[in-house]
Amino acid sequence: AAALSGAMAAEGPRSLFALSAAAVSRSMGALERDVWALPGHLLRGLLPLLTVFRLERAEGAARRAGLSTQPIWRKLWDDVMKTRPPNSENVTCWRKKFLETFFSNVLHGVLDVSSDWRLNDHHFSPLLHSSPHVSQLTLCNMLQGAVELTAERNQKVLENLAGSLRILKFQHLLSSDQSIRRSLVLLLHRLIHHGSVSQVSMYSWPVPDTVLLVLILSMSAGFWRSGNALVYHSSPCSLCREEDKAQSQETAQEQAERGRYDEREWSDGENQKGSPRALEEADAEVNGCGADTRLNSVLSRPRSPPLQNQVCEEASSEVPCDDTSIQGGSSPRCISDQLSCHPVLRKTRRRMKSAVGKKRRCLRRSRGPYADPEDLYDFVFTVAREDNSGLLNKNSATEGENAENWSTSSPGSPCTGHAGCKKRGGSAGIFSLKAAHRFRSVSTLELFSIPLTGETCRTLSNLLSSWVSLENLVLSYNGLGADIFCILSGLRALSRHSDCHLRVVRVSDVFSHMPCMELVRCILSAFPQLHTLSVSFDLKNQLEGNRPEGNPSCSEVEIPESCLEQLEIRFPREPLHTAFLLPVLKASKSLQQLSLDSATLPCSQELGLLLEVLKECNPNLKKLSFHDVNLAEHQKEVLLLLQDPVLQEITFSFCRLFESSTTEFLSEIINTVKRNSSLKSLKLPGNRLGNHRLVALADIFSEDSSSSLCQLDVSSNCIKPDGLLEFTKKLEGHIQQRGGQIQFTHLRLFQNWLDQDAETAQEALRRLKAVCSVVNDSWDSSQAFADYISVM
């Protein structure tokens, strides 16, 4: 109250209404219900005087009165955050924007709630009341935020986040101790396995902690094991416990029903001695465990492990298991042997697998109350301890050895530890899922600037092989090298699942270890259902071609008809051989966007062939982009593209369009665009337009033009203020001739020489903004020129 009075006093004398509103705001605890019933014109003056706690509660009353609280939340942002948010023009709800950022700042200790009277309300719990509005959260450094959120006092906050959070980001992580990792396990289990998080993104981790990275990846994929890891404040996860209880009740009922039938069946057997109970007791003596324990062990296992060949799984019920097939566990007999010898267990498992397919349950292994606290990270470190024999079925491995290439390898063996995977060091073992249970998983995984070792790539490959819920995969600057083949093996295994949901794949890196088009063909041949595929490399690896043994070229792989809608390829200065690109385009009848970056055209006929195929095979293509492709000698093809009646957006970025052209070529471009009524966006950044060519482009909007052009991008084109002003005057003249009717709405002017005459530039921009939306920047052209000279 004192803070509010002080703020009002600083603003000078107030009206009687303002003084009354201030008095009411100080007594909202007693008057809240009456205040919400006030007429709209009175409520409007009261809302800016409320604390965040009361303002958030007033949302319903304001809506009923026809009032918007958005201006108040925006002012709160300006006063409290004191920064301009990126893309502020795209913010649709300032209430959510403020509370989400407020939550993050308080969580990480960068905002003091006592700094503003509107935040200082004894009814207001900063994390608790803002958490329902948080859909995106970033954890960084030592994961202090994870520790805070899993503290017992914030249990309700975590429950709110489980319902609201959709995107979880990790940035600039550092190594952490075991207690912090336990907090992270609890957080991921609640937000992913029992929550609503659908996207996990990791950024800028130059030297990643392998244990921490594998922990996040595995739990994002829905894998984890039971035990101390999922104990929340000395109690097991309540959600898991409830589901386990329901599952055990269902299992007990099935056992009772089947037990009566099997007693009759076994009692009639000629070779059967003793009762079923006697048989189970005998087995218990051999196996060192009771029948109930064995049954629980079977039921608590996840669905069919992703590294198990389906053919071999079927055969396991017919061929007895010997000691060589044991993959771990206390029993000397494998699970398939137990199932084949005991109809009760086999049928129960079949029923269990069907139930899991319909409903993602948290299957948990029975454990004693004194589990080893060190077993939390045994699951992670199996990467370094297990050999391939414990993960790959022998028949599957044999098929892999006899396969002609990796693209036709068995779906049961995503990464067999070939030379490419071993080249960069680390264990030859593969991340084991045999001890894990399957929970809910995320649908989007993004890894930006995180180096992946061979060991981590094998782990990721193994996870990808059964990650059927994954819809978007982004691997950006991970230094994959030869391990790209390991990732591809996991993706190939994933593609064999009928319920695979992968639709977007983006791969980018500094060096390419295989030609771009070969990688595109490999991915697309495995995933014809992809909607978006982006492959981008900066430089060509000098060792390209030294591919791991057993991984020959995919250039001969047949590409099935695909659902691809967006294809982006950034070549590391590779020649654009249409012989490899054209089959991809012919198979992509639904293609709507095509982007080709940094490719070289080996001969003049290549671009012509490309345009012919686009016209014949891609009738739905709407956006076409060329970046850093030398088109100086391809003027005919440029004009053909500009007159295409289907394309709506064309980009020629840094394509040297006018490097060896004449003035006639510019006139032909203008006349072609004037006659094209379908083209909506023309982007020409980095083509050295200069003043005179920019002024000429204004004729696109002349009175005799039928153009529907809405957006024009002339960034990085050496445009000076006087040229921009002349363009503006000419454009105004054309608009006046057309009676003010023009569809032109957006002009982009980034990185031009507008700082050379600030006054003229300001006048030009002021007049332009009366015509269209102008996007520019305060670029220092002199500094840019100095940088250019310094690297010459």
Side-chain angles (χ1 to χ4, degrees), residues 75-93:
K75 188 176 188 306
L76 260 172
W77 176 282
D78 294 336
D79 295 344
V80 175
M81 304 302 175
K82 296 180 173 61
T83 59
R84 185 175 184 270
N87 302 318
S88 59
E89 63 277 3
N90 298 327
V91 176
T92 57
C93 181

Side-chain angles (χ1 to χ4, degrees), residues 52 99-109 111 113 119 123-134 137 144-151 153-161 164:
V52 168
L99 290 173
E100 186 173 58
T101 307
F102 174 80
F103 178 92
S104 179
N105 289 349
V106 171
L107 179 66
H108 293 102
L111 178 63
V113 294
L119 310 179
H123 295 97
F124 182 54
S125 174
L127 294 180
L128 179 61
H129 288 102
S130 59
S131 56
H133 302 275
V134 179
L137 178 63
Q144 303 94 327
V147 176
E148 178 68 19
L149 290 175
T150 53
R153 63 181 177 277
N154 288 322
Q155 187 171 357
K156 180 60 177 175
V157 175
L158 194 56
E159 291 179 9
N160 289 342
L161 288 178
S164 66

Side-chain angles (χ1 to χ4, degrees), residues 158-427:
L158 194 56
E159 291 179 9
N160 289 342
L161 288 178
S164 66
L165 197 66
R166 298 294 183 271
I167 301 175
L168 182 60
K169 297 182 178 181
F170 297 92
Q171 191 169 14
H172 305 303
L173 293 186
L174 303 173
S175 296
S176 55
D177 58 30
Q178 191 169 5
S179 63
I180 294 178
R181 290 172 184 162
R182 288 184 182 278
S183 296
L184 180 61
V185 167
L186 294 176
L187 184 73
L188 295 177
H189 180 63
R190 187 65 183 92
L191 297 182
I192 296 178
H193 300 165
H194 294 302
S196 303
V197 170
S198 60
Q199 174 178 326
V200 169
S201 303
M202 288 185 272
Y203 300 83
S204 304
W205 201 356
V207 186
D209 181 334
T210 301
V211 175
L212 201 56
L213 177 57
V214 170
L215 174 67
I216 296 173
L217 289 175
S218 60
M219 297 196 73
S220 298
F223 286 106
W224 195 243
R225 62 181 296 173
S226 60
N228 287 354
L230 301 181
V231 173
Y232 186 70
H233 302 302
S234 303
S235 302
C237 171
S238 59
L239 296 174
C240 288
R241 192 167 61 242
E242 291 174 3
E243 293 181 356
D244 286 345
K245 183 178 179 181
Q247 178 192 337
S248 60
Q249 290 176 351
E250 180 182 342
T251 302
Q253 184 177 357
E254 289 182 2
Q255 277 188 277
E257 294 175 355
R258 295 177 183 276
R260 288 191 295 269
Y261 170 79
D262 290 322
E263 282 184 11
R264 293 193 301 269
E265 184 181 72
W266 289 347
S267 64
D268 296 335
E270 294 180 359
N271 299 324
Q272 188 69 32
K273 295 182 180 181
S275 66
R277 182 175 183 82
L279 175 62
E280 291 179 2
E281 290 174 352
D283 279 348
E285 292 178 5
V286 174
N287 298 333
C289 61
D292 290 340
T293 303
R294 183 171 63 254
L295 178 62
N296 288 338
S297 176
V298 174
L299 292 175
S300 63
R301 287 179 180 267
R303 289 178 288 180
S304 300
L307 297 186
Q308 189 173 6
N309 191 304
Q310 183 178 359
V311 176
C312 302
E313 184 179 0
E314 294 173 356
S316 65
S317 63
E318 301 174 2
V319 182
C321 299
D322 55 19
D323 292 340
T324 62
S325 64
I326 297 174
Q327 295 187 5
S330 60
S331 173
R333 302 168 67 187
C334 73
I335 289 299
S336 58
D337 189 20
Q338 294 178 16
L339 293 178
S340 62
C341 295
H342 299 283
V344 175
L345 301 187
R346 182 170 64 250
K347 293 177 181 179
T348 305
R349 171 159 182 157
R350 188 181 302 118
R351 177 75 62 87
M352 182 274 294
K353 289 176 66 177
S354 175
V356 171
K358 297 177 182 177
K359 189 175 182 181
R360 294 182 181 272
R361 291 177 175 169
C362 301
L363 305 180
R364 305 174 58 78
R365 190 180 302 277
S366 299
R367 300 178 61 90
Y370 303 107
D372 182 3
E374 296 302 322
D375 69 357
L376 172 59
Y377 297 104
D378 288 346
F379 178 60
V380 174
F381 278 115
T382 52
V383 179
R385 287 204 300 261
E386 291 188 330
D387 61 342
N388 295 346
S389 63
L391 298 169
L392 300 177
N393 185 284
K394 288 186 175 181
N395 293 343
S396 174
T398 303
E399 290 179 9
E401 292 172 358
N402 297 332
E404 293 181 359
N405 56 55
W406 73 269
S407 64
T408 57
S409 63
S410 167
S413 51
C415 184
T416 58
H418 50 59
C421 292
K422 297 178 183 178
K423 186 173 295 185
R424 292 168 54 182
S427 168

Side-chain angles (χ1 to χ4, degrees), residues 363-660:
L363 305 180
R364 305 174 58 78
R365 190 180 302 277
S366 299
R367 300 178 61 90
Y370 303 107
D372 182 3
E374 296 302 322
D375 69 357
L376 172 59
Y377 297 104
D378 288 346
F379 178 60
V380 174
F381 278 115
T382 52
V383 179
R385 287 204 300 261
E386 291 188 330
D387 61 342
N388 295 346
S389 63
L391 298 169
L392 300 177
N393 185 284
K394 288 186 175 181
N395 293 343
S396 174
T398 303
E399 290 179 9
E401 292 172 358
N402 297 332
E404 293 181 359
N405 56 55
W406 73 269
S407 64
T408 57
S409 63
S410 167
S413 51
C415 184
T416 58
H418 50 59
C421 292
K422 297 178 183 178
K423 186 173 295 185
R424 292 168 54 182
S427 168
I430 302 175
F431 182 84
S432 174
L433 305 180
K434 68 185 180 186
H437 302 312
R438 200 65 183 261
F439 298 90
R440 177 186 176 274
S441 55
V442 302
S443 60
T444 298
L445 176 67
E446 298 180 339
L447 304 179
F448 296 95
S449 301
I450 300 178
L452 300 180
T453 63
E455 179 180 306
T456 311
C457 284
R458 289 190 293 277
T459 299
L460 179 58
S461 174
N462 202 15
L463 293 172
L464 288 173
S465 66
S466 63
W467 201 333
V468 294
S469 69
L470 191 66
E471 299 178 10
N472 304 279
L473 175 64
V474 179
L475 301 176
S476 180
Y477 293 94
N478 307 118
L480 295 178
D483 291 321
I484 184 68
F485 296 106
C486 189
I487 301 298
L488 290 174
S489 297
L491 290 175
R492 169 64 65 174
L494 175 62
S495 70
R496 305 296 178 88
H497 291 264
S498 60
D499 53 347
C500 171
H501 287 80
L502 192 63
R503 295 296 180 268
V504 177
V505 174
R506 298 182 182 275
V507 179
S508 58
D509 220 323
V510 177
F511 293 102
S512 66
H513 202 79
M514 61 190 301
C516 282
M517 284 313 307
E518 184 177 336
L519 181 57
V520 168
R521 292 169 67 97
C522 289
I523 296 176
L524 203 55
S525 62
F527 294 95
Q529 73 274 24
L530 280 185
H531 290 169
T532 299
L533 175 58
S534 176
V535 173
S536 173
F537 294 101
D538 298 337
L539 299 171
K540 185 175 182 179
N541 193 338
Q542 297 300 321
L543 300 178
E544 183 181 292
N546 296 342
R547 62 187 69 251
E549 185 178 350
N551 291 282
S553 171
C554 294
S555 58
E556 302 301 324
V557 176
E558 183 179 353
I559 303 176
E561 185 170 342
S562 72
C563 302
L564 197 65
E565 297 178 357
Q566 182 175 348
L567 176 61
E568 301 173 356
I569 307 174
R570 184 183 183 191
F571 300 85
R573 296 297 173 185
E574 289 181 3
L576 175 59
H577 293 297
T578 54
F580 301 118
L581 177 59
L582 297 188
V584 173
L585 298 177
K586 290 178 180 178
S588 307
K589 306 292 185 181
S590 303
L591 193 66
Q592 298 181 18
Q593 301 181 41
L594 174 63
S595 176
L596 302 176
D597 189 340
S598 302
T600 58
L601 299 172
C603 61
S604 58
Q605 290 79 17
E606 295 288 324
L607 186 58
L609 292 173
L610 173 63
L611 299 188
E612 289 180 12
V613 172
L614 290 177
K615 185 175 182 180
E616 295 175 5
C617 303
N618 306 106
N620 298 315
L621 189 67
K622 299 294 189 297
K623 298 181 179 181
L624 179 61
S625 174
F626 292 92
H627 175 78
D628 201 11
V629 179
N630 189 351
L631 300 178
E633 305 299 330
H634 298 276
Q635 299 177 12
K636 177 182 176 182
E637 288 78 8
V638 169
L639 293 174
L640 287 174
L641 285 172
L642 290 174
Q643 67 186 25
D644 188 287
V646 179
L647 288 173
Q648 296 181 3
E649 180 178 308
I650 299 178
T651 300
F652 297 117
S653 176
F654 294 88
C655 290
R656 312 181 195 176
L657 288 182
F658 306 103
E659 188 173 275
S660 59

